[in-house]
Amino acid sequence: MPYYTMMMSSLLPWKDVSRFVAKLATVLALCAFAMWSFTSDANWTPSLRVSVKGSSPAADGMVFFGTRPEAIKMAPIVLEFARVKPTWNIVVVSTGQHREMMDSVLPIFNIHVHEDLHLMARDQTLASLSAAALMSVTQVLHKYRPKVVLVQGDTTTAMIAGLAAFYQKIPVAHVEAGLRTGFIYSPFPEEMNRRMLGSLASLHFCPTELNADNLHKENVNTTAIFVTGNPVVDALFYTVSRQPTQTTVRLLQSLRLVESSSSSSS
C-alpha cells in the first residue's frame, strides 16, 4: 500500500484505500525525479498568494513544506487528497526555506501553493529563520484553523510548523517519522528537529520498522505509529508516468541511455 494511502487511511475514514499496492525503490525515485525535474522545458512562474491577513474558511488539513525533499515527498499526498476528497479544503503552505530549489519541484506535480511565507533571507541563521517561521506559521494557522497539520522529515520548517500547531492544540501528522542517529548534533539540526516532532506529533508515519522501534523506545503511543514506507517512491511512479520533455530525451541520448531517432530509423 503506497505511503500516502496508508497515512491518509489513518487520518480519514476511507474504505477504498486497500486497493493500492506497495511501491519500493527509493533510490531510483530520487534519481528519476532529479532527471525529469532539472531538464524540464516548462517556463513556469509560481502562482502564490503572499498575504496571510484576514480569515478564510476552516481548512480540513494543512500541508507544510519549505525544501525540495519535503515538496517531493509531500506532493503525492497532496495529489491523493485532491483525487479522493476533492471537496476538502487542503491548504498547501510553503515557507520558502529553500526558495529556488523547491520551486523547481512544484510544476512537475502541478501543485498550487496557497500561502508562500517567503522566509528565505540572505545570511539567515537558524535562530532568525526559526523566529520568523514561528510568527508566520502562527498567522497562517489562525487564518485557516486547520483540523490537522501535516509535516515531513526533520527540517526547520517541519519542526516549527509542528511547534506552532502544538501551541494552538492542532494535531500534527509527521511524515517520515522515527529517524534517529542517537547523537543530537549529527545531523545538525535535523536530529533534534525530528526528536522534537516525535514528542509534538499525534500521528507518526514511519518509513521502516526500525524507525517505528525508535519511537517505541521513546514511549510514543503505539496506536499512533504506522509503518508505511516512503512517499518518494510514489513520486517516482508519478514522475516516470509523465511524457518526457525534449530536453530530457536529448539528455538521455547524450548519455546513451536511449537511442536517437536517427539511429533507430537506420
Side-chain angles (χ1 to χ4, degrees), residues 31-46:
C31 294
F33 177 82
M35 182 168 292
W36 261 257
S37 174
F38 294 124
T39 60
S40 174
D41 288 336
N43 294 318
W44 179 79
T45 302

Side-chain angles (χ1 to χ4, degrees), residues 7-22:
M7 191 200 73
M8 289 191 293
S9 69
S10 306
L11 294 172
L12 306 172
W14 298 335
K15 297 181 180 179
D16 61 341
V17 295
S18 60
R19 60 183 175 154
F20 293 98
V21 295

Side-chain angles (χ1 to χ4, degrees), residues 72-206:
I72 293 173
K73 295 176 183 180
M74 295 300 269
I77 298 169
V78 174
L79 294 175
E80 189 68 0
F81 268 121
R83 187 187 74 82
V84 180
K85 288 291 183 181
T87 61
W88 280 38
N89 183 20
I90 303 299
V91 176
V92 177
V93 180
S94 166
T95 64
Q97 182 178 337
H98 292 170
R99 171 83 285 146
E100 294 181 359
M101 290 188 293
M102 192 203 66
D103 282 350
S104 67
V105 170
L106 302 180
I108 300 296
F109 298 96
N110 195 27
I111 298 294
H112 171 71
V113 174
H114 299 84
E115 299 286 354
D116 188 345
L117 305 185
H118 293 288
L119 294 181
M120 188 173 183
R122 185 183 298 274
D123 299 323
Q124 65 186 357
T125 64
L126 282 173
S128 62
L129 171 62
S130 299
L134 186 59
M135 294 299 295
S136 296
V137 170
T138 297
Q139 289 182 339
V140 171
L141 294 176
H142 277 305
K143 178 177 180 178
Y144 290 97
R145 306 177 304 282
K147 297 176 182 177
V148 63
V149 163
L150 292 89
V151 299
Q152 188 278 328
D154 46 26
T155 66
T156 299
T157 288
M159 186 273 288
I160 292 297
L163 182 62
F166 168 76
Y167 284 161
Q168 298 188 47
K169 298 183 179 181
I170 299 171
V172 176
H174 185 201
V175 177
E176 202 174 62
L179 278 69
R180 299 289 187 272
T181 64
F183 182 52
I184 61 173
Y185 295 115
S186 179
F188 176 84
E190 289 83 1
E191 175 71 7
M192 184 53 68
N193 287 344
R194 57 201 183 197
R195 289 196 194 189
M196 293 179 66
L197 282 167
S199 297
L200 294 170
S202 300
L203 293 169
H204 310 261
F205 302 105
C206 304

